[in-house]
Amino acid sequence: MENKEIIGWIGMLLATFWAGEHLPVAIALTSKLGPIVGAFVGMFAALSIISALIFLLNWKKYYMPNLVFWILMFILLLAGYVGYLAGGNISALFANQLAEYALVIDILNIILAFAIWKVDAE
């Protein structure tokens, strides 16, 4: 197995886990904040599944958009945390395990997307 394939499989598994973690969040947000917010999160879960396919199938022309997607997901999740923390709940950063997992997965997928892009360029 080549390095690119190993990176692709790990990225695919993490992206799929990220999507599976956010689908229940989308359902919960739909009931609490409305269907538009839930659809917004659900759309990102669907894009994460597409990202998993990019990792798995090694679609070269989509490596850079995949990297941008994961950077955007990290920024959005971090912005949500900062907004939540600004509301006064300072200990919230380490209170939600799903969000912590999502942050770690975002960071790992940024690293993997960059690595697969660099490995394939060589």
Side-chain angles (χ1 to χ4, degrees), residues 32-112:
K32 289 183 181 180
L33 299 176
I36 293 175
V37 177
F40 190 70
V41 174
M43 175 192 67
F44 285 129
L47 287 174
S48 178
I49 293 171
I50 293 170
S51 172
L53 287 174
I54 292 169
F55 275 122
L56 184 64
L57 300 176
N58 294 318
W59 290 337
K60 293 180 185 182
K61 65 181 178 179
Y62 297 115
Y63 286 163
M64 187 54 67
N66 194 25
L67 179 61
V68 171
F69 170 74
W70 287 111
I71 291 171
L72 180 65
M73 290 300 95
F74 179 75
I75 291 170
L76 285 173
L77 188 60
L78 206 56
Y81 257 147
V82 170
Y84 189 66
L85 294 175
N89 193 354
I90 303 299
S91 64
L93 185 59
F94 302 105
N96 188 343
Q97 276 189 325
L98 290 179
E100 290 173 11
Y101 294 151
L103 276 174
V104 171
I105 291 171
D106 285 342
I107 292 168
L108 290 174
N109 273 333
I110 289 169
I111 293 168
L112 290 172

